[in-house]
Each structure stands twice: as C-alpha cells, then as structure tokens.
Amino acid sequence: MNPNPQFSALPAIVQEFIDGIIRKMGYRRSVRQEVHQELTAHFTDALKNCTDPTLRQQRAESLLADFGDAEMLAKLIRRGKIRCRPWWRTAVVRSLQGVTAFFVLFVFYLVWFSLGRPTVRIDYLQMLNDKARPQVADADNAWPQYEKAIDLFVKKSEDMFNITGRFKELSAQDQQKIRQWVTANQPAWDQVVAATGKSYCFRNYTLGENAARPILLGVMLPHISEVRDLARVGQQLAQIQVTDGQSDKAIGTCLVMIRQGKQWMGQATLIEYLVGIAIGSMGQEELTRVLAQSPQNAESLAKIRGELASIWSGEYPKFSFEWERLTFLDAVQNIFTEGGPGGGHLSPRAMTLFGQIMDDPMPIPIAASMALVHAGRTETVERGNEIYKALEDSIAYTPWQRKTQNLRLPEQLVEKLSSRRFALLRSFVPALSKAIERYYRSKVSTEATKTIVAILEYKAGKGRWPETLGELKSAGFLSTVPMDPYSDGPLMYRKDGESFTLYSRGCDLDDDGGKIVAGDLWGENAGGQHGPDGPDGDRVFWPVN
Amino acid sequence: MKFESELLKGVAPVVVLEILSQGRMYGYELSDAIEKRSGNVLSLGRGTLYPLLYNLEAKGLISAAWESNESGRQRRYYSITGIGKDELARQKQQWLDLQRGVATVFGFAVPQPA
C-alpha cells in the first residue's frame, strides 16, 4: 500500500489497525487500496477535531474499540466486496478456478501416471522354448547340422546379384559363376542334406543382443536368411544337375529342399513357418520342372511318390498364431502397469523402451500422449485374445469359404478397433490373416506336386492319362483326391492330348480353364474378385510354365 | 440506550437506506447521522457499517462513487438507487406492520382493523 498524507497523519495504532485489515482481507489489490482509502478517510474525519495528542490517542483507541476485531472485520469486508463483484468477473474467476483445479488434478494424474511401472511376471520366452522343444533325443535334432551349414555357407559375390533366370538360359559366363558358387557351397549343402535326415529341428529361442530388455518381441531369429540362402544353393544345384543330364540327382536335391522346408514349418514362430513354406515351395516347383524337362519312368516316379508320401506322412504341419499371441501378451506385461484399482495403463516410459527394441524410437511426449488415450490393460488383452482366437478359428476355413461366405471376423474385429485406443494391438495384428492364405497355398501346392507325380506315374504305367483324379485314388496312387482351397471341389484336372492340365481356380475363385497370367501366379492382382475386369487367371501347376 | 446486536442487525439496512434516501453521504458522515437521527438510540458499530454498505451495494440498493470536496479530500459517497427506494418502502411497511403487531401483543395500543 502507498500511504496517502491523511494516512500518515493518523495515530500509529490506527495505521496498524487499517494495515492489519487490508493485509487480512487478501483480495484484489485495487479493492484493498479502495478500502484502505475509505477507512483512512473515516478515521481522518473521526479524529479531525482532536488536536491534543493525548485526546487524539484516547479517541483513536475508542474508535478502534468500536470497530471491533480487525480479523473479523477484514473477513466481512472481503465477503461484501466479493458480492459487489460484477457477474462477468465472477464467471471469469470461477472459470479460472476451475481451470486451475483441473490443471492441478491433471498434474497429479500425470505424476501418478508416469510413476507406474510394468511388472514382468511370466517368462514367455521360457514358455515358448518349453512348448517348441519336442520330446525326442538330442541326436535327432537337425539344428547342429544347420549351424555347421551356416558356418560353411559362402555368400554370392556382388556381381552375381544381377544374374537372374533359370540356369540353362544363362550365358556361359554366368553359368560358370553359378557353378563356382554352388561348388564352393557343396560342403554347406552336404550339411543340409545331413540335417534333413534328422527327424526334427529345434533351437533355443534367445534374446541375443536384446537380453538387457527381455521382451519376446526382441527374440532374435538369427540365420533365418542363411537358411533360405542354403535352399537357394539347392535350387541352383538342381538346375545344374538337370542341365547336366543328371535328373535323378536333381530330383534328390529337390526332395532335400522339400524336407528342409517341412523341417522349418515345424518351428514355433510364424516367420520360420513362412520361411519353411517358401523353401518347400521352391523344392516342389523345382521338382515339377525337372519332371517336365526330364520325363521319368514308372519306377522312378513310384520312388518319388514314396519319398513324398514319407515326407508328408501324417498331418500337414500345423499352423498357429500362438507365438504371435504370446508375443502380444508379453508386450502387454512389459508396457502396461499392473491391473487393479487405478492401475493397468500403458506406461509412457516403457513405451519408449519398446520403441527402441522395435528400432522406432518414440519421444516421451508422444509416448505419454499415446498412453493417455490408450485402452487399459484388461481391455487390450481381452480384445487381443478375441482377435487371436478369431484368427485361430479362421484357419479352419479355406479362402473359398472365407470369401463366398464373407467370413471376415478377424478383419472386422481389427477394423472396429480405434487406432488410438488400440494402437498397440493394431500394430501387432493386421498382416496375420494373409498368413492363413499362405498356409492354404502351401498345402494345395504340396497336394498338387503329389498329384502330378501320381498322374505321370499312372501314364508311365498304363500308357494313358487318367480320366479323373478319382482314378488315381482307385489305382492307389493317391490316398485322397486333392481339394482346391479356392473352390468347393477338387483341383481342376483335364487331359490335353499328349499332356494334361492341373490347376486351382486361384484368388478370383473363377474357373478360367487353366489360364496362366504372367507375373500373377495366384490371380492376386484381380483383387480376389469375380468378374471380367481383373486380370483373371488360375494357379496352374501343370504344364509347367 | 443500546439495543442487542441481533435486534440491531435486522433494522440496520433499513436505517441506512432511510438516511441515504434523504441525501448522499460518505461512511463517517453516515455513522454519525445514524446516531444523531436516532437520538443516540441506534449506534451501529463502525466495524459493522462498512461490510453492511458493501452488501447493500452488492444488492444494487445503493451505489458508491469517489468524489473530492472543496479541500481536495477524496471520499466515497453512497446514494440510494431506485431499487433501494423500492426496497426501503417495502421494508418500512413491514416495520410498521411488525410494530403494530408487537404493540398489540404488548397491549400498548388497540389493534386497528385491516
């Protein structure tokens, strides 16, 4: 307060009294100044006739006694002044108070939110290894041979990356390079051959360099590309062998590749399963090419049929999303705080660490804003389990059933998820339903290969093509007539004079009479739709294109 | 003669409005006027006066404005508003009715027919 001259002229006890009231009022400065001025004027008027210091002091004391308790007076004045406040000022003050209260609560919430830490209770990695490890002797494990093969593997030199096409169509110079590369890899390939003689392949899943942050998503799958490269050695070797007129050796090489593919389809992770599918398909396609290029006699074909029956005896390797589900659950336990009252939310700090593992660093503010809007732990897990179950159930339906009956439950469940509230789940799930189609394609390709061998054997033995695929079953060449996953019937078969055609309807579900569309093996570019607009076509297994 | 504070609390706003209805006044002048015009019967504690004035102001019954006198001193003058006058009339009628009722009960006067 800036005392005015009247105030300075007042007795000290009065000044003290006024200052005390003003101090205790604790209201806006302009209002306090006004009250100060008014009280000063009051006491100045009350004391103006008292010139004698003693009398003035006595009068002042009397006035103060009349005014009563300064604290009570300050309260009453403050209350009166607050009531005098215009409505708009009251509205502004109330709004500011509301905003401040919200902000304070929000800050408390943020502090509580950011202090929460996930608690890892389940060792999903151990669970995975326990599930994946077969109950058989270690001596039957192919992994040690694969490890040796990987160590011995010689990579292609850079100038070889441009060499594309089948071996017999390459220039002499390129053929020479390929021969040298395959020869250099012969020791590695010998190990692959030894590995495929074993009954199973198992290796412990480890975190490798991600061990400091044990999260299943960080499980290393080292050498997965080398395993695929080893199959490419086999592919080139088979092409060289058939070019050199050694079709029996080429067939043996193809069978090794098919065995290798099956072994890797037996692994726990979806990635390894898909690599197994790719390797097996490579072997089967190569085998049908060898058979097309170098016709075999009935005895040789019977042997191949027996080998294939042996490789694919029992149930076709099971396809499952269990690894993906466990990976998702492990991510949840590493990123969310525990459930219970006020808990079970996404932890911003854990999200940033998760981003580091995914090689997608996430700044804290982004992680925090994501965490604030993300669904809680229980809801996320419930939706996740719901989607993984729908995916698992979808495996039972062929692409034809899914498309004609519009069975899109997993996709529909994912589409329903808010991209903000379920960002984590959406980042895990989307591509998985495509894997189901890969599974069916692999399965029918395997069936088609067995059928081709059976048809060729039938012709070699009986001197004519079978009229129907059913004849192959009756003659004991096939145990079942192969079904087309893209129709509700068997694979399409037709005699074509000196040859035959075996095909699946492909993604568009239409029977185009065994039409091949270059660069669109399964008719995918037709968008899986019926009709004349798409580049229609079928998946033709024979004749070999 | 001094009245008990609770009794005074009820009558004080009407008294202030009544005095201000006769002309604008500043705080000290008003407290002085209350004592003088009530023949020292009504003595509003000074500590009560200002909160009372601010409350009447908040209700829109009186208004206040700073003005300077000839000597240049600033004072806050209070005036009764239109609403204040209406309220005063209503309060005064209530007081008359109350006075009549109390007088009748105490036997001070014969009640007049309504």
Side-chain angles (χ1 to χ4, degrees), chain A residues 6 34-35 37-42 44-48 59 63 66-68 73 76-77 79-81 83-84, chain B residues 26-29 31 35 43-51 53-55 57-59 66 73-76 78:
Chain A
Q6 281 81 34
E34 190 179 64
V35 173
Q37 197 175 349
E38 189 165 21
L39 291 176
T40 301
H42 182 98
T44 304
D45 285 331
L47 295 170
K48 70 179 175 188
R59 172 79 175 137
L63 283 168
D66 192 29
F67 258 87
L73 185 57
L76 293 172
I77 290 176
R79 199 178 295 165
K81 282 295 182 187
R83 285 177 185 155
C84 286
Chain B
Y26 52 90
Y28 177 76
E29 192 180 15
S31 69
E35 276 193 22
S43 177
L44 207 58
R46 269 60 172 188
T48 320
L49 176 67
Y50 287 99
L53 287 171
Y54 300 150
N55 280 323
E57 190 184 354
K59 289 174 183 170
W66 286 96
R73 276 193 59 196
Q74 286 256 315
R75 288 198 182 94
R76 198 160 189 251
Y78 294 91

Side-chain angles (χ1 to χ4, degrees), chain A residues 224-498:
Chain A
I224 197 80
S225 62
E226 282 92 337
V227 167
R228 201 166 170 162
D229 286 341
L230 285 168
R232 290 200 177 99
V233 171
Q235 188 184 31
Q236 295 292 350
L237 178 60
Q239 289 180 24
I240 292 170
Q241 287 166 334
V242 80
T243 305
D244 292 347
Q246 300 171 321
S247 62
D248 53 336
K249 284 188 179 176
I251 289 166
T253 303
C254 293
L255 291 170
V256 169
M257 289 163 69
I258 295 170
R259 279 196 200 94
Q260 187 192 351
K262 194 199 168 190
Q263 260 178 348
W264 283 87
M265 286 168 79
Q267 302 298 303
T269 69
L270 181 60
I271 295 173
E272 289 168 305
Y273 186 94
L274 293 174
V275 166
I277 282 181
I279 294 171
S281 297
M282 230 189 273
Q284 283 163 178
E285 280 176 31
E286 213 50 56
L287 178 63
T288 52
R289 284 178 194 283
V290 173
L291 295 177
Q293 211 172 326
S294 310
Q296 303 292 305
N297 59 33
E299 190 186 350
S300 169
L301 288 163
K303 197 177 161 194
I304 297 167
R305 181 167 58 84
E307 288 281 350
L308 288 175
S310 158
I311 293 170
W312 298 109
S313 63
E315 200 180 350
Y316 193 74
K318 258 192 160 178
F319 174 77
S320 169
F321 290 107
E322 187 59 6
W323 154 272
E324 276 60 39
R325 196 180 71 87
L326 294 182
T327 305
F328 163 71
L329 292 177
D330 188 52
V332 167
Q333 77 164 350
N334 274 280
I335 297 172
F336 283 80
T337 60
E338 286 213 271
H345 62 78
L346 207 142
S347 157
R349 192 169 168 274
M351 264 311 280
T352 58
L353 294 171
F354 178 72
Q356 286 166 16
I357 289 172
M358 298 286 284
D359 285 332
D360 184 17
M362 188 179 284
I364 269 278
I366 292 177
S369 57
M370 184 178 168
L372 281 170
V373 297
H374 201 281
R377 179 178 183 148
T378 307
E379 199 181 352
T380 304
V381 170
E382 277 174 4
R383 292 290 167 83
N385 281 333
E386 200 181 348
I387 289 170
Y388 282 107
K389 183 177 183 310
L391 280 167
E392 209 74 55
D393 292 346
S394 293
I395 299 172
Y397 296 98
T398 65
W400 184 83
Q401 287 170 320
R402 279 169 53 77
K403 286 175 185 175
T404 54
Q405 296 170 40
N406 197 25
L407 301 174
R408 294 183 67 250
L409 187 58
E411 291 89 340
Q412 284 167 346
L413 287 173
V414 173
E415 284 161 13
K416 267 192 215 168
L417 297 177
S418 151
S419 57
R420 288 180 184 169
R421 279 182 54 71
F422 294 96
L424 183 72
L425 191 49
R426 284 187 76 118
S427 71
F428 269 80
V429 170
L432 295 183
S433 58
K434 287 187 180 173
I436 298 174
E437 200 145 334
R438 296 275 181 278
Y439 160 76
Y440 275 102
R441 288 181 190 178
S442 155
K443 198 174 172 187
V444 72
S445 297
T446 300
E447 292 300 317
T449 307
K450 287 197 283 185
T451 306
I452 289 166
V453 173
I455 294 169
L456 294 173
E457 189 186 350
Y458 187 98
K459 171 74 165 53
K462 299 186 185 289
R464 64 175 179 85
W465 300 115
E467 295 299 320
T468 62
L469 295 181
E471 268 185 47
L472 296 171
K473 187 183 171 189
S474 310
F477 292 116
L478 280 180
S479 55
T480 55
V481 175
M483 297 299 287
D484 182 1
Y486 288 100
S487 79
D488 56 348
L491 282 178
M492 305 301 290
Y493 166 73
R494 187 178 66 233
K495 292 192 297 175
D496 294 322
E498 288 305 306

Side-chain angles (χ1 to χ4, degrees), chain A residues 25-77:
Chain A
M25 258 184 76
Y27 195 44
R28 282 190 294 128
R29 185 184 172 83
S30 60
V31 174
R32 281 185 286 140
Q33 274 178 339
E34 190 179 64
V35 173
H36 188 277
Q37 197 175 349
E38 189 165 21
L39 291 176
T40 301
H42 182 98
F43 282 102
T44 304
D45 285 331
L47 295 170
K48 70 179 175 188
N49 295 327
C50 298
T51 49
D52 177 70
T54 309
L55 285 175
R56 190 173 167 82
Q57 181 68 18
Q58 285 172 356
R59 172 79 175 137
E61 285 170 7
S62 164
L63 283 168
L64 293 185
D66 192 29
F67 258 87
D69 178 44
E71 192 166 342
M72 176 59 71
L73 185 57
K75 272 187 190 172
L76 293 172
I77 290 176

Side-chain angles (χ1 to χ4, degrees), chain B residues 30-98:
Chain B
L30 183 62
S31 69
D32 217 28
I34 291 169
E35 276 193 22
K36 282 178 184 164
R37 292 189 195 181
S38 67
N40 281 332
V41 170
L42 296 175
S43 177
L44 207 58
R46 269 60 172 188
T48 320
L49 176 67
Y50 287 99
L52 172 62
L53 287 171
Y54 300 150
N55 280 323
L56 292 174
E57 190 184 354
K59 289 174 183 170
L61 302 178
I62 61 172
S63 62
W66 286 96
E67 287 179 29
S68 303
N69 64 5
E70 302 79 25
S71 61
R73 276 193 59 196
Q74 286 256 315
R75 288 198 182 94
R76 198 160 189 251
Y77 283 87
Y78 294 91
S79 313
I80 190 165
T81 63
I83 304 169
K85 285 174 185 170
D86 293 344
E87 180 63 17
L88 175 62
R90 197 180 66 79
Q91 292 274 353
K92 277 167 89 173
Q93 186 56 50
Q94 278 190 0
W95 273 106
L96 279 174
D97 293 345
L98 181 64

